[in-house]
Amino acid sequence: MDSIVSAQTFYAGEFRHAIDEKNRITIPSRWRRKNTEEFILLPDSQNQFLLVMSPEEFARMSAAAESNASIAARERRIFLRQLHSRAQHGLADKQGRLVLPEELCRKIGLKGEVALVGGRGRFEIWNVTRWKRADEEETPTYQHVANVIGL
Amino acid sequence: MDSIVSAQTFYAGEFRHAIDEKNRITIPSRWRRKNTEEFILLPDSQNQFLLVMSPEEFARMSAAAESNASIAARERRIFLRQLHSRAQHGLADKQGRLVLPEELCRKIGLKGEVALVGGRGRFEIWNVTRWKRADEEETPTYQHVANVIGL
DNA sequence: CAGTGGTGGTTAAGAGTGGGACGAAGTGGA
DNA sequence: TCCACTTCGTCCCACTCTTAACCACCACTG
């Protein structure tokens, strides 16, 4: 279990970056691994934000869904089909900028300044105003769990 | 000495150090391990102080939240997202100084003299005046528990 | 009085951003 | 089918601002 955790890329922190007219967004330098990196772009189910992860992480995620015995086979099949149809490839250019498909930006409302929110194995891209609300709403939960684990 | 418990660093003592105009703070030499060290910076939920720990300790902490059965799945998910978005990478320079993001300093009110407070696996950075108040408030409890465990 | 620890400034490298150049791919007409 | 034209995508360069590495200094302390 410890080995799996350390194998996963960890994206720490929250950044505010700009999306230019060509829908390019700079990936925080601390989050970059190689010069040219490939990502999977996956809008969340409510088009609130854009999930970004490595192809390996995406494979891991869909494998987890497949091997989960507590999900009915039919549900699983539907989920996996939706997962794969929603996902898009994204390539970073030599400057470390991710180019987002125009359609995704429009759907999620990514324009001008956006929030990049870290996570384990993946990060999220939010419209700034929407992210601020999400962060504030959920604070009580954070507090509660923090108490439980003694943080 | 690879067991999880003994791997935890213990930071002992309380120090008063200065934060300069570039938001650099010297880590007490007794607390340093290598020349250049990497830390995770995590403001507490009320922005009272700044938690500083090693990436390993952070991973341990988030693993603890994940594996705790007494926390509902939804809460856990929200907590982990916030935990990762709040956490920032911090790198110490060759002089053993930790550079803090400007925004964190402003939020927590770290300026001029600050208090570095040790702990198990992590330490805290406080605004001095706030720390003094927190310390005084909590002294009776310390006394009480000390009596109970026969310290 | 030498060595270590904390502090302050300067400088060079790197990160984020904008815009132009070039080639590939797609489109329409002869 | 071929060619001219447009469009799109990637790369490259330039600029600004931030960041981290480097150097120098002072104050203790053993």
Side-chain angles (χ1 to χ4, degrees):
Chain A
M1 138 197 162
D2 210 29
S3 59
I4 292 178
V5 172
S6 57
Q8 258 181 342
T9 314
F10 173 54
Y11 303 102
E14 182 189 323
F15 295 83
R16 299 293 161 98
H17 281 180
I19 292 191
D20 61 19
E21 292 88 32
K22 295 156 108 174
N23 296 328
R24 295 179 299 186
I25 181 168
T26 310
I27 298 165
S29 62
R30 303 246 173 108
W31 291 1
R32 291 179 215 155
R33 302 286 149 195
K34 322 157 217 159
N35 262 358
T36 53
E37 221 165 349
E38 197 192 351
F39 291 100
I40 299 290
L41 313 175
L42 182 68
D44 86 298
S45 54
Q46 281 137 4
N47 291 328
Q48 294 253 41
F49 57 88
L50 183 67
L51 261 170
V52 184
M53 68 195 88
S54 68
E56 295 80 36
E57 176 65 23
F58 184 72
R60 199 172 351 233
M61 177 182 291
S62 81
E66 271 188 273
S67 63
N68 192 323
S70 69
I71 307 170
R74 189 184 123 79
E75 280 195 359
R76 205 155 47 199
R77 211 173 37 244
I78 295 173
F79 169 80
L80 286 172
R81 200 176 52 227
Q82 289 192 351
L83 189 69
H84 288 96
S85 69
R86 265 208 277 263
Q88 307 216 10
H89 274 285
L91 254 145
D93 66 11
K94 293 282 166 63
Q95 274 66 35
R97 283 180 292 193
L98 190 56
V99 187
L100 304 179
E102 168 67 30
E103 200 210 338
L104 274 183
C105 290
R106 205 164 15 79
K107 263 207 308 199
I108 302 179
L110 301 177
K111 222 180 80 176
E113 196 190 21
V114 298
L116 292 140
V117 183
R120 207 176 73 252
R122 63 206 200 217
F123 59 91
E124 303 167 0
I125 306 179
W126 287 74
N127 172 307
V128 264
T129 63
R130 199 177 300 151
W131 165 245
K132 267 165 81 176
R133 265 194 286 112
D135 188 38
E136 283 156 15
E137 274 170 20
E138 290 166 0
T139 297
T141 300
Y142 177 86
Q143 180 68 336
H144 170 238
V145 180
N147 289 338
V148 170
I149 66 167
L151 191 130
Chain B
M1 298 299 177
D2 270 352
S3 102
I4 291 183
V5 175
S6 61
Q8 254 186 343
T9 314
F10 181 66
Y11 302 102
E14 180 191 326
F15 296 82
R16 299 292 163 100
H17 282 180
I19 292 191
D20 61 19
E21 292 88 34
K22 295 157 94 180
N23 297 327
R24 295 179 297 188
I25 181 169
T26 310
I27 298 164
S29 61
R30 305 251 176 101
W31 290 359
R32 292 178 215 156
R33 302 285 148 196
K34 321 158 215 157
N35 262 357
T36 52
E37 220 165 350
E38 196 192 351
F39 291 100
I40 298 289
L41 313 174
L42 181 68
D44 87 298
S45 56
Q46 279 137 4
N47 292 327
Q48 294 255 41
F49 57 89
L50 183 66
L51 263 169
V52 184
M53 68 195 88
S54 67
E56 296 78 36
E57 176 66 22
F58 183 75
R60 199 169 359 233
M61 178 180 289
S62 84
E66 271 188 274
S67 62
N68 192 319
S70 69
I71 306 168
R74 188 185 124 80
E75 286 200 349
R76 205 156 45 201
R77 196 158 22 83
I78 295 172
F79 169 81
L80 286 172
R81 146 118 55 76
Q82 290 205 350
L83 187 70
H84 288 100
S85 72
R86 269 184 232 250
Q88 307 237 357
H89 274 289
L91 255 147
D93 65 12
K94 295 281 165 63
Q95 274 65 37
R97 282 180 294 192
L98 192 55
V99 187
L100 305 180
E102 167 68 31
E103 201 209 337
L104 276 183
C105 290
R106 205 164 14 79
K107 263 206 308 198
I108 302 179
L110 300 177
K111 222 179 79 177
E113 196 191 19
V114 298
L116 292 139
V117 184
R120 201 175 78 253
R122 65 211 199 210
F123 60 91
E124 302 167 1
I125 306 179
W126 287 74
N127 172 308
V128 264
T129 63
R130 197 178 300 149
W131 165 244
K132 267 164 78 175
R133 264 193 288 114
D135 189 37
E136 282 158 15
E137 273 171 20
E138 288 167 4
T139 297
T141 301
Y142 177 86
Q143 188 62 270
H144 173 238
V145 179
N147 290 337
V148 169
I149 66 169
L151 190 104

